[in-house]
Amino acid sequence: MDKAIEYRSKCKHFRTLIIGRANAGKTTLLKKVCNSIENPEIFSPSGEKLDPTVVQESSERGIHDIEYQLIFRSNPQFIFHDSRGFESGSLDEIETVKSFITKCARSKKLSDQLHAIWYCLPTDTNRPLLEADRNFFGEYGNGKVPVIAIFTKFDGLVTTAFGELRDKEKLGIKEAKNKKFERAQEKLKTNFIEPLEATASRPSD
């Protein structure tokens, strides 16, 4: 507890990089964590508040800055950085993420360092792990920053499991409902957890 108090006195913010493909549920997750229904305010690396409409227009043109700081007024202790576009697997995007992680790791100020990486993986998809996901956990690693894999949209996976039980195994509605969560858990383990555990830089336990 003393250590926690000491670190808290040195660092007023918890800085997190959130990684995930488009529509992975990242914004929903952040709003839940920060207990907010509003979108975050956006700040430049120097702390200047930015116009969200300008940032949105830049994003729509394919311009995105991982250095932007996303802060919710409901919970300003968290500072988030978003790695939009990482799922594309392009070398430029991957290098941007690597460079950002390295830059934060080299900072001598605890408040400027990266404290965690949240890697969001939507489970309601036919493409569980993309090449970019495997590259990150396999080839690039993350150094000393803990990586937490967060499986989103599990309700969609449950719906898929229910459909399989009904269509492929011809179960009745009641029996399929009783087994859908168990089947979804099996698919989660087979398609996501086991492949991630087999990578060189597996997520933190």
Side-chain angles (χ1 to χ4, degrees):
M1 182 64 71
D2 291 340
K3 277 288 185 182
I5 295 175
E6 178 186 349
Y7 288 142
R8 190 62 180 272
S9 66
K10 294 180 180 179
C11 182
K12 303 298 183 182
H13 302 284
F14 190 84
R15 190 177 300 275
T16 301
L17 171 62
I18 184 164
I19 297 176
R21 67 192 76 167
N23 300 315
K26 292 182 292 183
T27 301
T28 300
L29 171 66
L30 297 186
K31 286 182 176 180
K32 285 287 187 181
V33 169
C34 294
N35 192 28
S36 176
I37 59 174
E38 300 178 347
N39 289 325
E41 295 180 322
I42 305 173
F43 296 85
S44 69
S46 63
E48 177 188 0
K49 187 175 180 179
L50 304 176
D51 185 342
T53 58
V54 174
V55 175
Q56 178 64 29
E57 290 172 359
S58 297
S59 179
E60 290 173 354
R61 294 197 304 270
I63 303 172
H64 175 70
D65 194 338
I66 196 173
E67 297 277 356
Y68 286 165
Q69 303 178 100
L70 312 181
I71 301 176
F72 288 87
R73 283 185 290 181
S74 60
N75 199 336
Q77 295 175 338
F78 280 98
I79 295 178
F80 297 102
H81 296 268
D82 183 10
S83 69
R84 294 178 196 171
F86 183 55
E87 71 274 8
S88 66
S90 71
L91 292 178
D92 288 344
E93 296 295 347
I94 293 175
E95 286 300 321
T96 297
V97 173
K98 285 176 58 182
S99 297
F100 179 74
I101 294 173
T102 300
K103 187 204 76 168
C104 291
R106 289 176 177 170
S107 175
K108 294 182 179 180
K109 292 181 62 178
L110 183 60
S111 59
D112 291 337
Q113 294 176 12
L114 197 59
H115 305 122
I117 297 172
W118 294 355
Y119 205 108
C120 294
L121 293 163
T123 58
D124 64 338
T125 175
N126 293 324
R127 302 173 63 197
L129 292 184
L130 302 179
E131 182 181 355
D133 304 324
R134 297 182 186 277
N135 284 343
F136 181 82
F137 288 105
E139 181 178 351
Y140 299 110
N142 59 281
K144 296 181 179 180
V145 183
V147 177
I148 296 93
I150 301 175
F151 303 114
T152 61
K153 300 191 174 183
F154 185 71
D155 55 339
L157 184 59
V158 172
T159 299
T160 299
F162 177 77
E164 288 182 358
L165 291 168
R166 289 281 290 149
D167 299 335
K168 294 183 179 180
E169 300 188 19
K170 307 301 181 183
L171 298 185
I173 293 178
K174 183 176 181 180
E175 187 175 5
K177 283 184 177 180
N178 290 336
K179 293 184 176 182
K180 64 181 181 180
F181 289 104
E182 181 180 355
R183 174 61 60 86
Q185 289 284 0
E186 292 173 355
K187 292 174 70 67
L188 179 67
K189 181 178 180 181
T190 301
N191 295 334
F192 292 92
I193 296 176
E194 290 180 348
L196 285 176
E197 288 180 338
T199 59
S201 301
R202 53 179 291 177
S204 303
D205 291 328

